[in-house]
Amino acid sequence: MAVARHRNFSRAAAELGVLPSALSHVMRALEERLAIRLLNRTTRSVALTEAGQRLLDRIQPAFRDISEALEDLSQLSGRPYGTFRINSGLPSAQIVLLPLVSRFIEENPEVKAEIGALDALVDMVADGIDAGVRFGEILAKDMIAIPISPPLRSAVVASPDFCKQYPIPGHPEELKKITCICQRFPSGQLFRAGRRRAGAAARRPADPQ
């Protein structure tokens, strides 16, 4: 198309940022592959053959469509748009995520947000998920993570009737002796709760990320 537009290899090569000899070589290779001459060349001029003109007429609309499509995309560059999909557990979605996402879509009206509030640890890439909320200790090694809230703390509590039936634990390890109902994720993995004595030195609570 550049050669046909300029009728000159040097000017076409300058437009494309290549050497005239390289452009000439590409054109010869194309003609050999098609087994038909597209250009008539002399030392002074370049002209399209009938076959070359026919090919040009057919490909110009397609290249115009490509240019317009790329131009449309360039207008979206630098600002968020489209659907943003997030996977999160229900508590994280309610406590941490909803206020952040609400503010984000208010500031970016071209964005739609979908929050999958499930306890399942899904494969985010395979399932088309853009981001997920996890506690720090269950992050996949290949994920990029940033904290989205201050550290969260949890507590083990019991009713008076429960404490009458079971001795009050004096150490977190004694909780293992008490009959518990465990939470199993849809993946089959059991929830592992971190335990420590109040006030004792321990690993800081995980940040939701």
Side-chain angles (χ1 to χ4, degrees), residues 84-88 97 114 124 128-134 209:
F84 186 54
R85 297 177 177 85
I86 311 171
N87 171 252
S88 170
L97 201 55
E114 296 179 0
M124 293 197 297
I129 305 298
D130 298 297
V133 180
R134 303 282 187 271
Q209 301 179 346

Side-chain angles (χ1 to χ4, degrees), residues 156 166-167 169-180 182 192-195:
V156 178
Y166 297 97
H171 188 279
E173 287 297 313
E174 295 179 19
L175 290 171
K176 295 180 179 179
K177 302 177 183 179
I178 299 176
T179 302
C180 296
C182 297
R192 295 178 176 272
R195 296 185 291 271

Side-chain angles (χ1 to χ4, degrees), residues 14-94:
E15 176 188 328
L16 299 174
V18 299
L19 294 174
S21 58
L23 183 56
S24 179
H25 175 75
V26 170
M27 282 303 309
R28 283 197 301 270
L30 177 61
E31 289 175 323
E32 289 174 3
R33 181 163 61 87
L34 297 176
I36 193 168
R37 181 181 292 276
L38 301 174
L39 300 171
N40 288 321
R41 308 169 179 83
T42 69
T43 56
R44 291 177 298 177
S45 64
V46 176
L48 291 171
T49 64
E50 182 178 348
Q53 185 64 53
R54 182 179 298 183
L55 177 61
L56 180 66
D57 293 341
R58 291 291 302 272
I59 65 175
Q60 276 184 325
F63 274 85
R64 187 164 51 246
D65 289 344
I66 293 172
S67 297
E68 291 174 357
L70 295 176
E71 179 63 26
D72 289 343
L73 288 180
S74 67
Q75 295 176 6
L76 298 174
S77 177
R79 71 177 192 268
Y81 69 94
T83 301
F84 186 54
R85 297 177 177 85
I86 311 171
N87 171 252
S88 170
L90 184 58
S92 297
Q94 293 173 327

Side-chain angles (χ1 to χ4, degrees), residues 1 5 12 16 26 56 58 76 90 100 112 121-123 139 142 158 179 185 191:
M1 288 180 60
R5 183 163 53 251
L16 299 174
V26 170
L56 180 66
R58 291 291 302 272
L76 298 174
L90 184 58
L100 296 176
K112 295 181 180 180
L121 298 178
V122 301
D123 184 332
L139 283 173
D142 58 349
T179 302
F185 292 110
F191 174 71

